[in-house]
């Protein structure tokens, strides 16, 4: 009898102990939920569990609704959005991305390799750079859809093709995510490009119409200058100078517009000697160099042959030398270095002056039309009356000519010497 009672009591004690321990564990779990601590001990255990399950389900439904809302917003957003996994597979993209990049072989829920859906080296490079650096990246490029047909003389109806078959200017923003994933936002900047072209075209038409009246005013000013006495003659001379400056501005703008519209048609390629080109350009600006006692110092290769437009390349270096001379101190040197990479078939030309260099505010805009740099870059020692005043188009024209040759031109400050440093890179075409 006693062993039975002892065993029964022992079993009851163990049951109560297990129940107490289970209740303590549930208390630890449920304390994260509001108002549950007051109910511990007053409600049955199953009721507390059921209440917590309902609370968790409500939280899950609320988060799921928030997630669906954010995805709906992304889906109708006016900017393209893509999410890429660590293996460069497209996890999800919105409608704008499908339309902009012409992704027509993908459905929500599918996971496909991005390269199979979008053929864009620049987009792949942006994603890879973002993943490798684990920092936000920005890139701009021209996107050519798979059905893009480049303009040609044979394609007479090129201008009549629908919008989805033409190239587009895009700007992408890459952001890294955990586990190697990357999200990319893409802006369609083609409307801005078209607006800029329309503006430039209108201004080119205006400058074209200005040539004739400006020429007439110049002739009248020149006639008056020879028939008047001071002080009226000085005023006629000043009017003549200003009129010629306007004529030069008009001619530069028309030339720049022609280069931009038909870059390759504006070139007459032949085998040229870069030494002759540099010498010819330097001779043009020689009156300026004599006033400031500035010398040209050649470094690197002595003889370099390259295919290019002789007249246009001379024009490039006249503009670059002119800019360097104006911002160089008296009794200084302008360094020109020629180097050639036989493996990559590239030619690099560097021009370095000994001035104060470009300001940080000017550097992003050096090659913009009509941009005038920081006046703190002085032009001491130059007789302004004897020199043609700059139109603000010289460096823009130089950039268009270099790009028409398939090259690039960049402006920076030399890290050691501090002067303005122009670098031109030309690639030999097969």
């Amino acid at each position: 009898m006693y062993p039975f009672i002892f065993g029964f009591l022992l079993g009851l004690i163990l049951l109560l102990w297990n129940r107490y321990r289970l209740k303590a564990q549930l208390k630890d779990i449920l304390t994260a939920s509001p108002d549950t601590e007051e109910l511990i001990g007053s409600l049955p255990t199953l009721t507390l569990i059921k209440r917590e399950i309902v609370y968790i389900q409500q939280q899950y439904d609320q988060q799921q609704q928030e997630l669906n809302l954010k995805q709906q917003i992304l889906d109708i957003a006016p900017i393209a959005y893509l999410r890429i996994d660590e293996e460069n597979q497209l996890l999800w993209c919105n409608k704008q991305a499908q339309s902009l990049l012409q992704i027509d072989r993908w459905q929500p829920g599918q996971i496909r390799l991005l390269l199979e859906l979008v053929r864009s080296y620049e987009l792949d490079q942006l994603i890879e750079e973002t993943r490798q650096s684990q920092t936000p990246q920005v890139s701009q490029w021209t996107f050519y859809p798979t059905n893009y047909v480049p303009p040609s003389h044979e394609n007479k109806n090129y201008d009549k093709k629908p919008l989805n078959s033409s190239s587009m200017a895009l700007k992408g923003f890459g952001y890294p995510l955990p586990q190697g994933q990357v999200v990319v936002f893409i802006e369609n900047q083609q409307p801005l490009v078209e607006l800029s072209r329309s503006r430039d075209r209108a201004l080119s038409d205006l400058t074209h119409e200005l040539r004739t009246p400006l020429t007439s005013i110049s002739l009248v000013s020149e006639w008056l200058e020879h028939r008047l006495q001071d002080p009226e003659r000085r005023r006629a001379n000043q009017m003549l100078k200003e009129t010629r400056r306007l004529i030069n501005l008009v001619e530069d703008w028309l030339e720049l517009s022609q280069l931009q519209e038909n870059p390759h048609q504006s070139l007459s390629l032949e085998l040229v000697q870069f030494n002759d080109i540099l010498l010819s350009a330097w001779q043009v600006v020689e009156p300026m160099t004599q006033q400031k006692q500035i010398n040209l110092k050649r470094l690197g290769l002595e003889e370099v042959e390259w295919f290019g437009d002789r007249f246009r390349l001379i024009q490039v270096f006249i503009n670059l030398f002119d800019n360097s001379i104006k911002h160089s101190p008296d009794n200084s040197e302008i360094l020109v270095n020629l180097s050639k990479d036989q493996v990559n078939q590239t030619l690099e030309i560097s021009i370095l002056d000994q001035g104060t260099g470009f300001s940080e505010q000017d550097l992003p805009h050096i090659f913009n039309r009509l941009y005038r740099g920081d006046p703190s870059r002085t032009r001491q020692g130059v007789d302004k009356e004897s020199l043609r005043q700059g139109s603000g188009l010289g460096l823009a024209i130089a950039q268009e000519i270099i790009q028409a040759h398939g090259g690039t031109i960049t402006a920076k400050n030399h890290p050691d010497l501090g002067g303005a440093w122009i670098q031109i890179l030309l690639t030999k075409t097969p």
Side-chain angles (χ1 to χ4, degrees):
M1 185 67 180
Y2 288 105
F4 173 77
I5 295 175
F6 178 77
F8 177 79
L9 291 175
L10 181 61
L12 182 61
I13 292 173
L14 290 175
L15 178 62
L16 293 175
W17 167 251
N18 287 332
R19 185 173 180 180
Y20 173 80
R21 188 177 61 178
L22 177 61
K23 191 174 182 179
Q25 291 176 350
L26 286 174
K27 182 179 180 180
D28 293 337
I29 295 174
L30 298 177
T31 50
S33 175
D35 302 328
T36 55
E37 291 185 289
E38 299 178 359
L39 298 175
I40 296 298
S42 61
L43 292 178
T45 302
L46 292 178
T47 303
L48 291 175
I49 294 176
K50 184 177 179 179
R51 178 185 177 89
E52 184 62 19
I53 291 175
V54 172
Y55 174 76
I56 293 175
Q57 184 65 42
Q58 290 176 347
Q59 291 293 99
Y60 173 80
D61 292 340
Q62 183 178 355
Q63 292 180 3
Q64 188 64 36
Q65 291 176 2
E66 186 72 18
L67 180 62
N68 292 337
L69 177 61
K70 291 180 178 179
Q71 186 164 336
Q72 291 175 5
I73 294 174
L74 281 175
D75 199 33
I76 63 175
I79 188 172
Y81 169 84
L82 303 97
R83 184 174 178 180
I84 315 299
D85 67 6
E86 70 279 5
E87 297 179 354
N88 279 351
Q89 297 180 116
L90 178 62
L91 299 179
W92 193 81
C93 66
N94 62 359
K95 294 179 181 178
Q96 181 68 12
Q98 296 180 49
S99 174
L100 189 65
L101 303 176
Q102 300 189 13
I103 303 176
D104 53 4
R105 294 175 295 166
W106 179 85
Q107 297 295 330
Q110 287 184 339
I111 299 179
R112 297 188 55 182
L113 192 65
L114 181 64
L115 186 60
E116 297 177 355
L117 303 171
V118 183
R119 299 296 179 90
S120 174
Y121 167 78
E122 293 83 2
L123 177 58
D124 293 338
Q125 189 177 35
L126 172 62
I127 294 172
E128 189 61 28
E129 289 178 354
T130 304
R131 183 182 291 116
Q132 293 295 331
S133 65
Q134 286 297 298
T135 56
Q137 299 290 319
V138 181
S139 177
Q140 291 181 291
W141 72 94
T142 302
F143 175 63
Y144 300 94
T146 53
N147 60 344
Y148 172 77
V149 180
S152 63
H153 296 292
E154 292 78 10
N155 186 8
K156 304 300 182 181
N157 296 323
Y158 173 74
D159 294 332
K160 300 178 181 179
K161 297 198 313 299
L163 180 62
N164 60 5
S165 62
S166 58
S167 61
M168 290 177 289
L170 303 180
K171 184 176 183 179
F173 304 84
Y175 297 91
L177 292 180
Q179 300 178 350
Q181 295 188 15
V182 175
V183 296
V184 179
F185 296 91
I186 301 178
E187 290 181 354
N188 181 8
Q189 297 200 320
Q190 190 61 29
L192 295 178
V193 173
E194 296 297 335
L195 180 63
S196 177
R197 289 176 179 173
S198 177
R199 178 202 61 191
D200 293 342
R201 192 178 298 112
L203 191 52
S204 296
D205 294 340
L206 176 61
T207 53
H208 181 77
E209 294 298 325
L210 286 174
R211 282 199 300 185
T212 300
L214 285 175
T215 302
S216 299
I217 295 174
S218 175
L219 292 174
V220 172
S221 301
E222 190 174 356
W223 182 84
L224 289 174
E225 184 183 18
H226 292 87
R227 287 163 174 78
L228 295 176
Q229 301 295 324
D230 291 336
E232 289 82 3
R233 183 170 58 184
R234 290 198 302 270
R235 294 176 180 176
N237 178 262
Q238 182 64 29
M239 183 173 63
L240 178 61
K241 290 181 180 180
E242 293 299 322
T243 304
R244 287 175 177 173
R245 187 174 70 87
L246 288 175
I247 292 175
N248 290 330
L249 177 61
V250 167
E251 295 294 339
D252 287 348
W253 187 275
L254 291 176
E255 182 180 15
L256 184 57
S257 300
Q258 181 182 6
L259 283 168
Q260 191 172 34
E261 291 294 330
N262 303 295
H264 302 292
Q265 297 179 7
S266 302
L267 300 181
S268 179
L269 300 180
E270 59 179 326
L271 189 63
V272 297
Q273 293 282 347
F274 255 90
N275 295 316
D276 295 339
I277 289 175
L278 293 174
L279 180 59
S280 299
W282 187 257
Q283 288 175 346
V284 173
V285 298
E286 192 170 9
M288 296 173 60
T289 64
Q290 291 178 350
Q291 292 182 32
K292 301 185 67 176
Q293 297 298 310
I294 296 176
N295 297 318
L296 176 67
K297 184 176 181 180
R298 288 280 315 280
L299 302 173
L301 300 175
E302 292 293 335
E303 298 291 336
V304 177
E305 290 185 340
W306 206 262
F307 274 96
D309 187 312
R310 175 181 173 82
F311 172 76
R312 293 294 188 183
L313 290 174
I314 291 176
Q315 186 179 9
V316 167
F317 289 102
I318 289 175
N319 290 336
L320 296 181
F321 285 152
D322 176 83
N323 186 75
S324 296
I325 293 169
K326 288 176 180 177
H327 303 103
S328 294
D330 293 350
N331 301 307
S332 62
E333 291 182 327
I334 294 178
L335 308 179
V336 178
N337 183 67
L338 292 177
S339 61
K340 189 175 181 182
D341 188 340
Q342 298 291 352
V343 177
N344 298 322
Q345 293 293 293
T346 58
L347 175 65
E348 181 178 339
I349 309 102
S350 298
I351 300 177
L352 174 64
D353 64 44
Q354 296 178 348
T356 58
F358 301 107
S359 69
E360 294 298 326
Q361 294 82 0
D362 290 340
L363 275 175
H365 313 289
I366 292 300
F367 299 103
N368 290 358
R369 296 186 180 192
L370 301 177
Y371 183 80
R372 294 180 180 274
D374 188 348
S376 64
R377 296 191 70 205
T378 59
R379 306 184 178 188
Q380 297 177 356
V382 178
D383 182 7
K384 295 182 180 180
E385 293 296 326
S386 64
L387 296 176
R388 169 186 167 187
Q389 297 183 22
S391 63
L393 295 174
L395 294 181
I397 292 175
Q399 183 186 50
E400 291 292 339
I401 295 175
I402 294 300
Q403 290 178 348
H405 281 80
T408 59
I409 180 171
T410 56
K412 61 183 72 172
N413 294 324
H414 196 278
D416 299 324
L417 303 178
W421 189 18
I422 303 293
Q423 290 180 298
I424 298 174
L425 189 64
L426 297 175
T427 303
K428 182 174 291 185
T429 57

